[in-house]
Amino acid sequence: MRESQVIFIHFTSTSFLLLPIVISCNSPSYPKCSPIIFEMTRITIQVNINPACCLCPCYLNSKNTEKQEDMAHPQELKSLTKAFSGLGVDEKSLISILGKSHPEHRTTFRKTSPHLFIDDERSFERWDDHCITLLRHEFLRFENAVVLWAMHPWERDARSVYEALRLGSYDVIVEIACTRSSEELLGARKAYHSLYDHSIEEDVATHITSSERKLLVALVSAYRYEGPKVREDIAKHEAKLIANAIKNGDEKNPIEDDEVVRILTTRSKLHLEAIYRRYEEVSGNSIHEDLEAADLILKKTVECLCTPQAYFSKVIDEAMRNDAEQHTKKALTRIIVSRADVDMKEIKEEYSSLYGVPLSQKIEDNASGNYKDFLLALITRD
């Protein structure tokens, strides 16, 4: 309990009239105390102020401040900011910190979070509209991941292609067409029929009018041989065809070369891997080096067909960068959910080799809350 504050007031007057005197609390704990007004004659007054029962406004405010001290602790503010940052949101921190917060605490949070709130000209802190949009996406990440995980793979791929066509995200179409087995791709085409009353091939041909259309239509239409037989002599010959088409790119875009399209859309994955190995023999460079200045869709097609684990690792890493766009971030959910039952072990090994850090650690550092826990559960499954 605080000690009572004693104030002595000495007043001398030549008049016996009642005069007002203003007394202000001189306690350093209550510097902004409202004046207390007494009326008196020539007397000396001793006023005992007991803080336990004092109605002094500054005292009451100090008690409220004491209640808020813990809530306005810098570490809690830091934790609250982190809960809203990164991929997903930390629901547990939001509940434990914001749930017990008082108005003063939330005011402090708003004032110390200029990346989330804007000082309005009418003297209040308001949410940045752009942040609201982004946070809505972050709150939905966990829900979307669970929905996609429970979804049949055929439906998941069909819906992904449909969305990609409307957003112009043709790399998603390449990813699905090139990394699924023949039966999986056929299943996605069946699901697309059921969901949208169109074929994937029809919609790809309708929505894409650029030079990528020929390759993309052929990719989603493919039903590749998946047996073990590979003709190395043919692989070497076709490596030369692709190398010549790339080197003559100034005359004709290799993505529109009929032979390049034929090879990439009809040959088996094992045959294409043989072409990938032979390419350096006939070109002197790796195919990735020669494709550096080529069409982006052509580069992604070769990566997905020949080195899928490296492709997935790169896309996952790009999705976890701080400056990644919303579409790029969505790839983290799409890839981990779709590959968890397929080749996640190989993707984790490739990721660690490329970036020198385990994929699980990267997710731990960049994602939050239930979304983070769900992703970690998927990539650590047996």
Side-chain angles (χ1 to χ4, degrees), residues 310 313-315 317-318 321 350-358:
S313 295
K314 291 176 184 177
V315 175
D317 192 69
E318 289 173 1
R321 292 179 182 174
E350 185 68 25
Y351 187 92
S352 180
S353 175
L354 286 173
Y355 300 105
V357 60

Side-chain angles (χ1 to χ4, degrees), residues 172-180 185 219-220 224 269 305:
V172 176
I173 300 171
V174 170
E175 177 187 308
I176 291 171
C178 296
T179 64
R180 287 7 177 203
L185 181 56
L219 285 174
V220 298
R224 301 174 190 274
K269 302 287 181 64
L305 288 169

